[in-house]
Amino acid sequence: MKVLIIEDERSIAELERDYLQVSGFTCDIAADGETGLKMALEGDYALVIVDIMLPGRDGFSVCTELRKAKDIPIIFLSAKGEDIDKVRGLGLGADDYITKPFSPSELVARVRTHIDRYHRLVKKDREQKHGNLLTIGDLKIDKDAHRVYVTGHEVTMPVKEYELLLFLAENPNIVFSKERLFDRIWGMDAMGDVSTVTVHIQRIRDKIEKNYPGQKYIETVWGAGYRFKI
């Protein structure tokens, strides 16, 4: 499996590469945002690791443009450790956020976890029989094609958003806490926190509700969690 590292500090990029290669991955390195984005769009990568502070085009911009075209896992690895940067990164579609200085072994573990989870979802979708369509009002979830439509218009969703929406839609009118959703979608052994759930719920709402007047699917139950209304 091939991983793209977009990092302008050569020593850090080479450290990431060396540990990933020892663990069986193949790695390419890009030293600026423009080159990294071009490589990510044109290459066949299983995952992209991107710094935020990059020459030419910052990591946020790289993530935004890449997410429009591909749903492969994206991990931010940055010295910017403020919560606002983490929330912004996850809100743009990244799957994880690691703060420098970092543990190389932890990085490898997270890379492997995200790639494995992505492959499992893709495999599951491919194995499902044709015509597996979930319809709730004007919302349609095509589980065979891993696609979501609202009033006939397709909306793009990365893996985690899709899994979260599908889980809620398949279990309507049940209130799930953020902790329960985090365990279900990210796994009990996942590294991160439940604020990730809030960020992903907001992104889903923006895509299936905000731009479509009258559409309301996910309800916040204050102090309890979220439920999908039908």
Side-chain angles (χ1 to χ4, degrees):
M1 290 178 288
K2 190 158 61 172
V3 174
L4 175 61
I5 299 167
I6 309 177
E7 170 63 65
D8 62 324
E9 293 189 46
R10 185 175 183 82
S11 61
I12 294 178
E14 291 178 348
L15 176 65
E16 296 175 42
R17 180 199 61 195
D18 291 347
Y19 270 84
L20 287 167
Q21 286 182 342
V22 167
S23 299
F25 296 95
T26 300
C27 299
D28 290 335
I29 296 175
D32 64 84
E34 289 290 351
T35 302
L37 178 59
K38 185 174 186 295
M39 291 174 65
L41 291 173
E42 296 178 355
D44 184 20
Y45 294 101
L47 181 143
V48 175
I49 302 171
V50 58
D51 191 7
I52 291 178
M53 305 298 288
L54 293 167
R57 180 192 286 268
D58 68 24
F60 290 138
S61 176
V62 171
C63 180
T64 298
E65 294 304 311
L66 178 57
R67 191 49 84 213
K68 291 177 182 178
K70 295 188 176 184
D71 63 356
I72 60 173
I74 300 172
I75 296 178
F76 275 118
L77 197 157
S78 177
K80 294 172 71 64
E82 293 82 1
D83 288 343
I84 186 64
D85 295 310
K86 295 179 181 180
V87 171
R88 182 182 179 190
L90 294 171
L92 291 174
D95 297 272
D96 208 342
Y97 193 111
I98 303 174
T99 303
K100 299 176 184 176
F102 62 96
S103 162
S105 59
E106 179 183 343
L107 173 64
V108 172
R110 294 201 193 191
V111 167
R112 192 179 301 282
T113 296
H114 286 295
I115 291 177
D116 288 348
R117 189 177 300 277
Y118 176 74
H119 284 172
R120 284 198 301 272
L121 178 62
V122 171
K123 181 180 179 181
K124 180 179 178 181
D125 286 342
R126 288 174 179 172
E127 290 177 346
Q128 288 178 332
K129 66 180 182 179
H130 182 69
N132 201 356
L133 186 68
L134 179 63
T135 302
I136 307 98
D138 291 326
L139 174 69
K140 297 183 185 299
I141 304 175
D142 186 338
K143 294 190 284 185
D144 288 336
H146 187 185
R147 291 182 173 178
V148 177
Y149 302 86
V150 182
T151 65
H153 301 282
E154 183 175 2
V155 294
T156 301
M157 287 197 177
V159 174
K160 294 294 189 301
E161 291 178 23
Y162 174 83
E163 284 187 287
L164 183 55
L165 174 61
L166 180 60
F167 177 72
L168 289 170
E170 289 184 327
N171 297 276
N173 300 321
I174 300 174
V175 178
F176 293 98
S177 68
K178 289 186 287 186
E179 290 78 10
R180 174 71 179 88
L181 292 173
F182 184 81
D183 286 346
R184 174 63 178 77
I185 304 302
W186 282 265
M188 294 184 66
D189 296 327
M191 301 169 186
D193 57 65
V194 295
S195 63
T196 300
V197 175
T198 303
V199 172
H200 281 70
I201 288 289
Q202 185 57 54
R203 294 188 73 242
I204 293 171
R205 281 173 166 163
D206 287 344
K207 293 178 179 180
I208 69 173
E209 297 178 359
K210 184 177 180 181
N211 298 322
Y212 301 93
Q215 305 299 322
K216 184 69 175 178
Y217 298 103
I218 300 176
E219 180 181 32
T220 299
V221 181
W222 297 107
Y226 302 99
R227 69 180 164 207
F228 192 96
K229 295 197 309 178
I230 61 172

